[in-house]
Amino acid sequence: MEETIAEGRIPVGGLKRVIGRKVLVLFVIGDILGAGIYALVGQVAGKVGGAIWVPFLAAFVLASLTATAYAELVGKYPKAAGAALYTNRAFRIPFLTFMVAFAVMMSGITSASTVARAFGGRYLAEFVTLPVLVGALGFLAIVTLVNLAGISESVKVNVVLTIIEAFGLLVIIAIGAWALLQGDGDPGRALEFHSSDGVFLGVMGGTALAFYALLGFEDSVNLAEEAKDPQRDFPRALFGGLAVTALIYLAVSFTATMLVDTRTLEQSTGPLLEVVKVAGVPFPPKLFALIALLAVGNTALINMIMASRLVYGMAREGIIPPVFGVVHARRATPWPAILFTVAIAVVLVSTGDIGGLADTTVLLLLLVFALVNVCVLVLRREKVEHAHFRAPTWMPALGAVVCLVLASPLTGRDAAVYARAGILLAVGVVLWFLNHLVSRRRARA
């Protein structure tokens, strides 16, 4: 894998460049929209009070800084390898490249664990009363079965669920518009800050958490190799997709805080369901709960597919023990990799809550984002013959600083989050050195 990534090589014949700008925009939007907004509005409210939209707006502005780095790097190296490719080209350190790929993989598992906890909470309670942990573990079992069924079946399910989750958010926006026209709710609550740490630190903590709801835009770099004109189309699709999702999230968060008091939002694991229940529109709460459950399921499915395939790919390239590269004889799915990733998810779901798991996801990816921002500056020494987007130098430089600040304890992040992230990364270190020892013994034999 190191050699393949380092040289940016692709299989003979390559991938077909068939994806246009419109499809890229839709992919970016679909990748960002997901369970984060369904589950974390209340958690963000707990950080800042009624002004929920402020952390979401700040998160989008700050994410745009890192987006400029991705836009430049995709233009220079339109390959489907993402952060691992950029890290290897910039530093040529195989272990560092592996740890970046492993951090991305672990962020997928922590993200899936976050939404599993959300699934087992308020939304599921509309249909059946179960302990949150029981509901979450049952949910992981279903996601695992779909993943084991095969990638074709998984992708088909994903397309349907993406449409459903987008519809659910449009329902919330329509409720907000109706409420404003009727003079309902309390719009003034959107300007209220209630944070025990003060406004600045409260917004920082809320922004760090709100990042979870927009993670996914970086996944679109994996389509660079199949885009018709990545140098021109990718930057426009990336920034256009971010802008559209920013407007949707701002409208949803404003509606939530306008119609539901902050304390109710903070204590609910299904905050948007609270919006539907107090709205004066005849939209069945059970139907919205079902939409939310499907949205949560979609996010978890995407995350677990990505994580298991990364484990499989690393095993096939000889970076981690080869047992994780085994595939099912009939279904052609990497079942040891799937079981490994779901085992980690089970431990995380059993030991963490929604806020802590979401924060762990954000922490892991903030570290990756910081490195990507540095990579784009280091790789300025490499010139390419074709024209491509070039980020203003100050944007990735500021992006790196911002990511490190948001990853720091200044945000009020619990020590348990750092401990959890450290343990997860330590698993990668163990796998790396275990495989290294096995390879050395085989070489001597």
Side-chain angles (χ1 to χ4, degrees), residues 143-151 154 301 304-305 308-309 333 338:
V143 170
T144 301
L145 290 175
V146 175
N147 199 355
L148 286 169
I151 191 64
S154 300
L301 180 60
M304 294 305 285
I305 288 174
S308 61
R309 268 55 178 186
T333 50
I338 292 173

Side-chain angles (χ1 to χ4, degrees), residues 363-380:
L363 176 60
L364 291 169
L365 286 181
L366 282 173
L367 296 175
V368 173
F369 289 172
L371 190 58
V372 169
N373 279 301
V374 172
C375 286
V376 75
L377 299 177
V378 172
L379 289 171
R380 292 274 171 88

